[in-house]
Amino acid sequence: MDLAKDIAIVAASVIALGTLIVGVIEYFRQGAAKRVEHFLEMRRRFKENQKFKTITDLLLTDDEGLRDIPVGDKLDYLGFFEEIALSMNSRLINKNVAHYMFSYYAIRCWESENFRRGINCDSIYWQAFRDFVEQMKEIEQGFRFRRKNFQF
């Protein structure tokens, strides 16, 4: 009788452990799926926003037309990169993915006098943006593509 009881306890323990392992794996898969969804939504917002497209095109050559962009549109553009920084800090977006997909334009904003005209980027309210640009420049200096660094 004790042997049957011991077998039942071992079997129940094995089943419970298996269920726990499957649950943990599924939890991580769902987390990765949510991170992918979040990334794709951010990328879609960046690519489909007509104001952002205009600014992005002008940033490619640091066009003087950037001076004529309404300050509100520039602030929205900078705010988008702060959202990327917050997503990165919250681990919703991998730092390397954030760099590869978004940093080029954030750095161009920071370096462009034409873009910065009318905006006090030294304000305490743009600290997250400045920090994001600094982190992205650091990555850029030593960038080497490694497939394993680009995952959700």
Side-chain angles (χ1 to χ4, degrees), residues 27-70:
Y27 173 79
F28 283 108
R29 282 185 184 156
Q30 286 180 2
K34 287 179 184 180
R35 289 190 299 276
V36 169
E37 274 182 46
H38 180 74
F39 164 76
L40 292 174
E41 175 62 21
M42 296 299 285
R43 190 165 189 272
R44 185 193 60 73
R45 283 182 47 216
F46 186 68
K47 295 285 189 182
E48 293 179 6
N49 183 313
Q50 191 55 50
K51 293 175 186 178
F52 288 6
K53 281 183 181 182
T54 300
I55 293 170
T56 297
D57 289 344
L58 295 171
L59 278 171
L60 290 172
T61 59
D62 194 20
D63 192 288
E64 287 186 6
L66 288 164
R67 295 175 182 215
D68 300 326
I69 299 290

Side-chain angles (χ1 to χ4, degrees), residues 82 110 116 119-128 130:
E82 286 194 321
W110 183 255
R116 291 175 54 158
I119 300 172
N120 179 8
C121 286
D122 295 323
S123 162
I124 62 168
Y125 299 107
W126 293 112
Q127 187 65 44
R130 282 196 312 268

Side-chain angles (χ1 to χ4, degrees), residues 73-92:
D73 293 350
K74 291 179 186 181
L75 295 178
D76 289 343
Y77 198 73
L78 293 175
F80 175 81
F81 293 114
E82 286 194 321
E83 289 180 41
I84 295 295
L86 292 170
S87 296
M88 186 181 76
N89 294 340
S90 301
R91 297 183 183 179
L92 291 172

Side-chain angles (χ1 to χ4, degrees), residues 78-121:
L78 293 175
F80 175 81
F81 293 114
E82 286 194 321
E83 289 180 41
I84 295 295
L86 292 170
S87 296
M88 186 181 76
N89 294 340
S90 301
R91 297 183 183 179
L92 291 172
I93 295 177
N94 175 298
K95 191 181 226 180
N96 292 301
V97 171
H99 169 263
Y100 194 76
M101 299 304 294
F102 300 107
S103 72
Y104 178 83
Y105 299 105
I107 293 169
R108 299 293 81 74
C109 289
W110 183 255
E111 294 176 345
S112 171
E113 290 298 323
N114 292 321
F115 179 86
R116 291 175 54 158
R117 187 175 189 185
I119 300 172
N120 179 8
C121 286

